[in-house]
Amino acid sequence: MKKLNPDAPIPLYHQLADVLLARIRAGTYLPGARIPSEHALAREYEIGRPTVRQATELLMRKGFLVRRRGA
């Protein structure tokens, strides 16, 4: 697990989005597969769920993630 740096000039949500994107590109998360839940990512990176949500929404806007309700 890569630690996020709260003292960096890059916002935490952007740092997490970069980590998730690297995992997508490395094949850790395959197309159509689920990524960990917001709760799990928040626990893993010791950040709040709103920060995780910002990161996943950024990746959705860029076309790297798709959110499916109830899935």
Side-chain angles (χ1 to χ4, degrees), residues 8-58:
I10 300 169
L12 287 173
Y13 80 92
H14 208 291
Q15 292 180 52
L16 179 59
D18 289 345
V19 170
L20 295 175
L21 183 54
R23 288 181 180 179
I24 291 168
R25 289 184 170 151
T28 304
Y29 303 138
L30 298 173
R34 291 180 175 190
I35 66 168
S37 70
E38 288 180 1
H39 287 287
L41 288 169
R43 255 190 327 272
E44 181 178 351
Y45 290 97
E46 300 174 350
I47 56 177
R49 275 188 57 219
T51 304
V52 174
R53 172 133 327 179
Q54 281 183 290
T56 57
E57 286 179 354
L58 176 63

